Amino acid sequence: MKTLVIAEKPDMGRTIAAVIEPKAKNNRTYLEGDRYIITWAIGHLLGLAEPDAYDEKYKRWNFGDLPILPERFKIVPNPRTKDQLKTIGELSKRCDKVVNACDAGREGQYIFALIQQQLKLTQPVQRLWISDLTAESIAQGFEKLRDGAEFDNLTSAARARSEADWLVGMNASRAFTTKHRTLLSVGRVQTPVLALIYDRQKEIENFDSLTYYEIKALFEQGDRRYTGSWQGERLTDKDRAAAIADKVRGKQGRIAEYEVKDTREYPYRLYDLTLLQREANAKYGYSAKKTLDLAQALYEKHKVITYPRTSSNYVTEQNIDGMHKALHMLKSTPYKELAEGGNPGIVNVNNKSVCNPSRVEDHHAILPTLRRPGALGKEEQNIYDLVVRRFLSHFYPPAEYKQHTVLTEVEGETFKTNVKELRSLGWKVCLPGEDNAGKTSGRGKKQEEDDEAEELVSEPFTIDRNAPVRCAEAEAKEKATQPPKAYTEGTLLKAMESAGKQLENEELREAMKEAGLGTPATRAATIERLKKVGYITMQGKRITVTQKGRTAIELIRHAGVELLTSPEMTGHWERRLHQISKGEAAREAFMENVKRFTISIIEKVRTQPKADASLFEPGEAEKGKRGRAAGGRKSAAAKDTGGRKAAGDKPAGAARRSAASGPGGLQPLAPCPREGCGGQLIEGRKGYGCTHFKQGCGFVIWKEFAGKQISLPMLNALLEKGQTQLLTFKQPDGEMKARIRLADRSTGKLEVERAASPTV
């Protein structure tokens, strides 16, 4: 009997076969050699069954049938790949051992577990656990195959993640959809991502631009000319700014301070998938999905880069030799000059910016392989170029600069000058085009956004600190504060990756430190999903939330299940799933908690008022964009997953809410608590007020109180419980724990109630 090897994808299977059975016969859907039969899944061959697999009644979406809580989850084959599943089943009958060669990670483990379950495989299972598909790694991996039972806990965590997502997604989507008569897709990852976009757009819309004045002066000292920025509080008085400029113009000054220090800039981190997607979006405008598809082609089809669906920016000790060999290979490619200029000695096991095994969980950073690139398409070449240049940069020394900081004083006014003098480009020679000329490479985003701009020069810069200077020119320029920038796919990917960093709970923050919202492999699909269901649309590179997307977030938050819109739930889940994967927590207890949460969602949506259909209608600007999109082609957002028209495509005629209305807009948040009023609370720019204000109701809760911003969840707590949860207030003598309390339900007056000291 032979051993059956099951890889995750065809190209992976063939790559493995080339190492362990180089003379294997190719039978299209599998390869067979003397000892091994190598076959493959095609991603997920199986998935969790739809609700109607449990009961025919679930074919119709009916609120009264919720919640749907299967006692045991059923799995069903993917109809498009059922033939491959059948092939694996037939091959398994000829083998007495099985090797799980799916991706080394939670999802790869799950793909194999479902195949094993469906086909009722009883053979002993061994696990191939490697982080790349080099011949050396595959050979070593097969020499050190691990017992499949070692990964049972990881399988449990994978099942729990999948089934929990099903429970929340299926039930919440059906609840909100049937309640509001519009297809509303809800999910653990997609909903917090939509909330990120929504909140950013509200920040932009509610932004009040402030006009201020910046004073720039040109100084001369002999042949040296340099500029400086006036130092002081932000000037909003035009006349005062002009007076300062007039005061110093043409006057003599002195060097009050002059500091010079040497600085170094080290290469940027090696690419993980998210970082590669972000850079490709910024440089080429590629969507996250397009970059993933191109990288996957470079890996599977051309075999010129390592596994791209990685979340690591580092390598292990075992990769160092391969990196040196890849450097040598690149000497016979168009990268010859850069490769020959690299120093192999810099990339070693002690270089922690490259080699950090503790930061490599499933797969190492994306690297070029030893295969020379053949005929790559232009877009494939662009992605390969990014990977190669980033790789080569680590074989070069840091870029070196002299940082000059000058404070010039004229007529009692101080001006600051920052000059960055380039001494050596170092690794920046690997940057393409003008990037390595020093025009942009010396300035990070932070400096670009600072008022005190940094001037980058390549010629030596010197100032005589003891000689006088003359203010040759001074000018007050009008400026305006800028709103936050709308998300692009690149910046949204970064926000998804770092979503947990804003959580106050340290344990949850730690749990999400390496995870964020989604995984590198699923983030692109999440963004595409939001487009498909009509929640977001693209304006060039900018992502805009549609009216349907706005209303979806508002309804979820107002229903009292705002946890669905927060990364906090993912933090809770990731912490528990990690414990399950380590055998430190029970899968059953986790699933019971998820079921309780699912039931609570249904109960809260049950009591929610039905939203008016007009709240899902697109605004005029949005309709215009849809009509023009893709030369008149119907937008992908115009259809839901069931093929029905989404609410955004209903005939015009219903009253529409302005796309620029505040969070909640005319959407009622809660009944006014003032006795006998009968009005509804809605959200304004500065507070939450009553719709009956014209009839004399003065109830209002201001958004800012005692140094705290009253958020929608805090508002709900004040109205329902009369107080918020325990908050931390900063006092002159330290921190104080207290709650904000609704002191008067007729006016909305608030007060701070200090928490009682704990008794011993």
Side-chain angles (χ1 to χ4, degrees):
M1 301 281 284
K2 297 180 181 180
T3 298
L4 179 65
V5 178
I6 303 176
E8 189 162 319
K9 290 194 173 178
D11 281 329
M12 295 168 66
R14 294 186 182 102
T15 302
I16 290 170
V19 176
I20 63 171
E21 286 283 9
K23 296 181 181 179
K25 181 183 177 184
N26 189 343
N27 293 286
R28 197 174 64 82
T29 55
Y30 67 95
L31 295 103
E32 184 167 357
D34 295 333
R35 295 176 57 202
Y36 296 101
I37 299 175
I38 303 97
T39 189
W40 41 79
I42 306 171
H44 285 270
L45 296 182
L46 297 133
L48 296 180
E50 293 289 315
D52 56 65
Y54 301 94
D55 194 316
E56 282 288 316
K57 69 180 181 182
Y58 294 136
K59 282 188 175 179
R60 290 184 62 84
W61 287 30
N62 188 330
F63 197 102
D65 292 331
L66 301 177
I68 305 169
L69 304 170
E71 285 187 21
R72 183 178 177 82
F73 281 87
K74 297 179 180 180
I75 58 174
V76 291
N78 182 333
R80 291 176 298 176
T81 55
K82 62 182 181 182
D83 289 344
Q84 185 62 20
L85 182 65
K86 184 180 177 182
T87 296
I88 296 174
E90 291 170 349
L91 293 173
S92 69
K93 295 171 185 174
R94 299 169 47 203
C95 301
D96 60 356
K97 293 179 186 174
V98 176
V99 173
N100 173 6
C102 293
D103 284 351
R106 192 165 71 193
E107 289 311 300
Q109 193 67 19
Y110 186 50
I111 286 171
F112 177 83
L114 292 185
I115 294 171
Q116 187 181 28
Q117 176 185 337
Q118 180 74 5
L119 298 178
K120 298 180 173 60
L121 303 182
T122 57
Q123 298 93 328
V125 175
Q126 291 181 294
R127 186 59 159 110
L128 175 69
W129 192 267
I130 55 176
S131 62
D132 66 62
L133 287 172
T134 62
E136 185 179 24
S137 293
I138 293 168
Q140 289 178 354
F142 269 87
E143 286 175 13
K144 299 175 183 177
L145 288 172
R146 296 163 69 176
D147 188 337
E150 284 184 48
F151 300 89
D152 286 349
N153 289 329
L154 186 62
T155 302
S156 291
R159 286 186 187 278
R161 195 279 311 155
S162 178
E163 292 170 5
D165 274 342
W166 190 99
L167 286 173
V168 171
M170 285 290 182
N171 283 285
S173 295
R174 287 187 175 218
F176 281 101
T177 296
T178 53
K179 184 71 177 185
H180 303 293
R181 303 300 175 99
T182 297
L183 183 78
L184 295 173
S185 180
V186 181
R188 174 180 62 93
V189 174
Q190 72 169 28
T191 303
V193 173
L194 177 60
L196 285 174
I197 302 166
Y198 171 94
D199 290 340
R200 174 62 60 86
Q201 196 154 319
K202 299 312 294 182
E203 282 183 69
I204 295 168
E205 291 168 357
N206 295 333
F207 182 80
D208 284 326
S209 183
L210 172 70
T211 299
Y212 67 98
Y213 298 88
E214 184 183 74
I215 305 169
K216 291 281 189 182
L218 175 66
F219 299 107
E220 295 177 343
Q221 188 189 71
D223 294 334
R224 170 64 62 197
R225 292 162 67 92
Y226 64 95
T227 58
S229 299
W230 181 77
Q231 300 297 289
E233 77 280 1
R234 179 173 279 175
L235 293 170
T236 55
D237 185 324
K238 181 178 182 180
D239 292 338
R240 188 182 169 210
I244 292 173
D246 293 341
K247 176 183 174 184
V248 300
R249 190 181 297 111
K251 301 294 176 57
Q252 184 168 299
R254 68 183 187 91
I255 304 296
E257 287 184 31
Y258 180 32
E259 183 184 64
V260 184
K261 63 179 181 180
D262 293 324
T263 62
R264 291 181 167 191
E265 286 186 17
Y266 290 86
Y268 304 134
R269 291 175 300 164
L270 290 167
Y271 284 124
D272 62 6
L273 177 59
T274 302
L275 188 54
L276 180 63
Q277 288 170 318
R278 283 166 48 193
E279 300 236 348
N281 180 258
K283 190 173 181 65
Y284 301 114
Y286 296 165
S287 69
K289 182 181 184 301
K290 183 169 189 172
T291 299
L292 174 57
D293 291 344
L294 291 169
Q296 200 67 28
L298 291 171
Y299 167 66
E300 287 187 2
K301 180 181 174 184
H302 301 288
K303 296 182 173 57
V304 293
I305 66 170
T306 58
Y307 185 76
R309 296 170 183 249
T310 175
S311 59
S312 176
N313 305 102
Y314 302 93
V315 303
T316 67
E317 295 96 333
Q318 288 74 35
N319 302 119
I320 298 299
D321 183 55
M323 290 180 74
H324 289 167
K325 289 176 179 175
L327 175 70
H328 182 73
M329 178 277 294
L330 289 168
K331 292 178 181 178
S332 57
T333 71
Y335 299 95
K336 178 177 186 292
E337 189 176 338
L338 288 176
E340 288 181 342
N343 177 4
I346 295 176
V347 174
N348 59 68
V349 295
N350 297 315
N351 182 346
K352 293 302 178 188
S353 65
V354 175
C355 183
N356 193 340
S358 66
R359 303 289 296 276
V360 180
E361 192 163 327
D362 297 337
H363 301 280
H364 59 67
I366 303 172
L367 306 170
T369 66
L370 302 184
R371 177 172 291 199
R372 290 175 181 80
L376 301 181
K378 182 182 177 183
E379 292 175 332
E380 290 173 335
Q381 178 60 45
N382 287 340
I383 299 300
Y384 184 68
D385 186 69
L386 288 175
V387 173
V388 169
R389 289 180 182 276
R390 181 62 57 92
F391 168 80
L392 288 171
S393 70
H394 285 272
F395 290 90
Y396 281 80
E400 296 181 357
Y401 300 89
K402 276 191 180 295
Q403 186 80 44
H404 302 261
T405 305
V406 186
L407 293 182
T408 307
E409 195 175 281
V410 184
E411 296 292 307
E413 306 293 343
T414 301
F415 294 81
K416 187 175 184 180
T417 303
N418 291 313
V419 173
K420 197 171 187 179
E421 177 192 339
L422 176 66
R423 302 298 302 278
S424 169
L425 268 176
W427 63 272
K428 291 189 175 182
V429 298
C430 297
L431 296 175
E434 290 191 347
D435 288 356
N436 68 8
K439 292 185 179 180
T440 60
S441 59
R443 294 180 59 180
K445 288 183 181 176
K446 185 176 186 303
Q447 285 97 343
E448 288 176 350
E449 292 167 2
D450 283 348
D451 289 338
E452 295 167 3
E454 184 178 70
E455 184 182 359
L456 185 64
V457 299
S458 54
E459 298 297 321
F461 180 88
T462 55
I463 291 284
D464 185 344
R465 69 181 68 225
N466 298 313
V469 297
R470 176 178 172 273
C471 180
E473 184 54 69
E475 183 183 4
K477 294 184 178 180
E478 184 177 300
K479 298 270 187 175
T481 54
Q482 298 298 309
K485 291 183 178 178
Y487 281 118
T488 64
E489 288 203 26
T491 57
L492 181 60
L493 286 167
K494 183 178 181 181
M496 292 170 74
E497 188 177 41
S498 60
K501 290 181 180 177
Q502 282 70 47
L503 293 176
E504 290 187 14
N505 185 300
E506 190 174 336
E507 272 192 89
L508 301 185
R509 200 164 58 240
E510 183 66 24
M512 288 189 71
K513 186 171 69 174
E514 302 297 333
L517 287 171
T519 66
T522 62
R523 286 180 189 132
T526 298
I527 296 172
E528 293 302 312
R529 172 73 177 160
L530 291 174
K531 294 176 187 175
K532 187 173 183 180
V533 298
Y535 285 160
I536 63 172
T537 187
M538 303 298 296
Q539 290 183 320
K541 279 189 180 182
R542 294 186 300 121
I543 299 173
T544 306
V545 67
T546 65
Q547 187 58 41
K548 183 182 179 184
R550 288 170 182 267
T551 304
I553 289 297
E554 290 162 6
L555 288 172
I556 293 167
R557 284 177 169 166
H558 301 158
V561 286
E562 57 276 357
L563 189 61
L564 277 173
T565 67
S566 166
E568 187 176 338
M569 189 168 83
T570 288
H572 283 293
W573 284 25
E574 284 300 332
R575 178 181 61 176
R576 191 64 69 207
L577 291 170
H578 180 72
Q579 290 171 341
I580 294 169
S581 72
K582 300 295 182 185
E584 298 166 1
R587 173 179 174 273
E588 294 73 20
F590 170 75
M591 293 305 298
E592 280 304 313
N593 285 333
V594 173
K595 286 178 182 178
R596 280 196 289 272
F597 177 62
T598 301
I599 292 168
S600 76
I601 294 172
I602 305 304
E603 292 311 309
K604 288 181 178 179
V605 177
R606 192 187 306 278
T607 60
Q608 187 178 37
K610 180 182 177 296
D612 191 278
S614 65
L615 297 179
F616 300 100
E617 293 282 340
E620 293 303 321
E622 190 182 322
K623 279 172 50 184
K625 288 198 292 280
R626 284 189 178 194
R628 294 189 300 271
R633 293 196 307 269
K634 183 171 275 190
S635 164
K639 289 189 177 182
D640 63 42
T641 51
R644 299 183 297 275
K645 285 192 174 182
D649 283 334
K650 290 179 180 175
R656 292 178 178 82
R657 185 178 67 175
S658 165
S661 60
L666 301 181
Q667 169 72 23
L669 304 178
C672 177
R674 183 168 171 261
E675 191 171 344
C677 172
Q680 295 283 332
L681 295 188
I682 57 173
E683 185 175 2
R685 179 166 290 184
K686 295 186 177 180
Y688 307 96
C690 180
T691 53
H692 285 184
F693 67 95
K694 288 184 178 178
Q695 289 94 312
C697 181
F699 184 93
V700 64
I701 291 179
W702 300 110
K703 286 186 177 178
E704 186 169 344
F705 177 73
K708 296 290 184 184
Q709 290 292 318
I710 306 298
S711 63
L712 286 172
M714 290 168 73
L715 175 69
N716 288 334
L718 287 165
L719 297 174
E720 294 172 13
K721 303 175 184 176
Q723 61 183 18
T724 66
Q725 63 184 20
L726 213 55
L727 304 169
T728 301
F729 291 81
K730 291 185 178 178
Q731 302 287 307
D733 55 347
E735 292 185 343
M736 173 184 79
K737 294 288 186 182
R739 303 177 193 275
I740 297 175
R741 194 170 71 84
L742 181 57
D744 190 336
R745 298 185 75 85
S746 62
T747 64
K749 180 184 176 184
L750 304 176
E751 63 182 24
V752 175
E753 184 174 80
R754 188 165 189 152
S757 300
T759 55
V760 179

